Amino acid sequence: MTLFLFPSFLSKPLIMALSNSSWRLPQPSFFLVGIPGLEENQHWIALPLGVLYLLALVGNVTILFIVWTDPSLHQPMYFFLAMLAAIDLVLASSTAPKAFAVLLGHAHEIGYTVCLVQMFFIHAFSSMESGVLVAMALDRYVAICHPLRHSTILHPGVIGRIGVAVLLRGLLLLIPFPFLLQRLIFCKAIIIGHAYCEHMAVVKLACSETTVNRAYGLAVALLVVGLDILAIGVSYAHILQAVLKVPGGEARLKAFSTCGSHVCVILVFYVPGMFSFLTHRFGHHVPHHIHVLLATIYLLVPPALNPLVYGVKTQQIRQRVLRAFYTKGF
């Protein structure tokens, strides 16, 4: 059974060739549809995606520049924020350029190897972002529950080791994805109903046994997201317990405000991600174009909004940005 309708931009001879194809490595290419069912309006969809990508580039480069050049920001919270900005730059840049080429330039073809590389970067750096959010929750826990030992516990050596651990986890857990895909045989449909190469979208095209691929993908998702959400939840449970013991409403409000930006970033990252993950596996009644559209936006919204959230809610970042604009303007 063909999973997706062949889009109108493909010629009939090519459709017949693709429909009758069955191949192993080396595979020639896949074809990215973009947003299935909305092919005629895809150029309009590309406009808000372009705005999000531009915000992600400008915002995250600004965060990296400010943290790098201002010695007063060389503290655990801002080091983790710089890690988050770097990951967001890679995550957005792994998705947006090819998505724009598909939506605007009708450059639907993507080589098999390029598809696997893109898939690896998207999923690996999503895992890294989740790990950095856990590290930021740990930083907030130490800052609120052990303020006098904050700089001692999270000294630069510990921060560096945390960064390496986040990087290695993302790489090691996701390296098996492309190798497991090489086992599969693809036949009839090599049309990916997405604007980018997504793991489950590629797995669903195979006409050979995909149990191992599906099981490993589910295990990685549950391991990364499950453990990370648990760790964040435990950190904030201790934070809440400590804050409620603080006398005075103003002191409590100040303690809660230090966590506000991090909580916003957590919600922006995990809520759409969980929706995309669950609909891929269980959301058979969700229209496919809705799922694809939200999955594409999901990869650009956190990188675009994270700098804005921290810029608005973090006084030090906001002051540095305003100072830079003031200096240039006057």
Side-chain angles (χ1 to χ4, degrees):
M1 179 179 66
T2 302
L3 293 175
F4 307 108
L5 293 176
F6 291 103
S8 58
F9 60 83
L10 297 178
S11 63
K12 286 187 177 180
L14 183 55
I15 290 175
M16 293 299 295
L18 293 176
S19 298
N20 296 323
S21 63
S22 177
W23 35 264
R24 284 184 181 273
L25 287 175
Q27 287 86 352
S29 60
F30 286 115
F31 289 82
L32 296 170
V33 173
I35 312 297
L38 300 177
E39 288 85 358
E40 295 182 358
N41 301 312
Q42 289 188 149
H43 57 286
W44 294 112
I45 297 172
L47 293 178
L49 295 182
V51 172
L52 289 174
Y53 184 49
L54 182 62
L55 286 174
L57 290 179
V58 174
N60 288 294
V61 168
T62 300
I63 292 290
L64 286 171
F65 177 77
I66 289 174
V67 174
W68 179 269
T69 57
D70 193 334
S72 68
L73 297 182
H74 292 177
Q75 303 172 30
M77 174 182 174
Y78 301 107
F79 284 138
F80 290 133
L81 180 57
M83 292 180 195
L84 188 68
I87 290 169
D88 280 341
L89 280 174
V90 176
L91 191 58
S93 298
S94 299
T95 310
K98 184 58 183 177
F100 295 147
V102 172
L103 299 177
L104 290 176
H106 302 292
H108 297 273
E109 184 175 357
I110 184 170
Y112 181 80
T113 302
V114 176
C115 181
L116 294 188
V117 170
Q118 185 190 48
M119 181 201 320
F120 173 77
F121 270 83
I122 288 172
H123 292 293
F125 278 83
S126 294
S127 170
M128 293 178 201
E129 178 148 349
S130 182
V132 171
L133 292 178
V134 174
M136 296 174 85
L138 172 65
D139 171 65
R140 292 299 84 205
Y141 162 74
V142 176
I144 292 175
C145 297
H146 305 284
L148 299 180
R149 300 173 55 202
H150 186 218
S151 59
T152 304
I153 295 174
L154 291 177
H155 58 80
V158 171
I159 294 172
R161 286 193 286 272
I162 291 174
V164 171
V166 167
L167 176 67
L168 289 178
R169 187 189 72 162
L171 295 177
L172 295 177
L173 285 178
L174 275 301
I175 280 178
F177 271 27
F179 291 103
L180 288 174
L181 282 172
Q182 292 181 16
R183 312 167 41 251
L184 304 181
I185 300 173
F186 296 88
C187 53
K188 294 190 178 299
I190 56 173
I191 308 297
I192 300 176
H194 270 265
Y196 62 92
C197 285
E198 199 276 338
H199 177 248
M200 282 305 301
V202 176
V203 169
K204 288 180 178 179
L205 297 181
C207 53
S208 56
E209 179 59 47
T210 61
T211 302
V212 175
N213 300 75
R214 292 172 182 268
Y216 186 74
L218 181 62
V220 169
L222 293 177
L223 180 65
V224 171
V225 178
L227 291 181
D228 287 357
I229 289 179
L230 177 63
I232 292 172
V234 170
S235 296
Y236 273 97
H238 285 289
I239 290 173
L240 182 62
Q241 186 179 26
V243 170
L244 292 178
K245 293 180 180 179
V246 175
E250 185 176 346
R252 292 179 184 178
L253 184 61
K254 184 178 180 180
F256 278 126
S257 67
T258 63
C259 302
S261 54
H262 186 235
V263 172
C264 291
V265 168
I266 289 172
L267 294 176
V268 167
F269 180 75
Y270 284 114
V271 173
M274 289 301 297
F275 175 82
S276 179
F277 171 77
L278 293 174
T279 52
H280 237 319
R281 285 163 173 79
F282 311 111
H284 304 296
H285 300 295
V286 177
H288 188 61
H289 67 277
I290 296 295
H291 170 239
V292 172
L293 184 60
L294 291 178
T296 304
I297 292 174
Y298 156 68
L299 292 176
L300 292 174
V301 167
L305 291 188
N306 289 349
L308 295 177
V309 169
Y310 276 98
V312 170
K313 287 188 167 290
T314 307
Q315 183 179 4
Q316 292 87 338
I317 297 292
R318 185 170 64 250
Q319 288 177 344
R320 300 311 185 277
V321 173
L322 292 176
R323 185 188 303 168
F325 279 105
Y326 181 84
T327 302
K328 290 183 178 180
F330 297 95

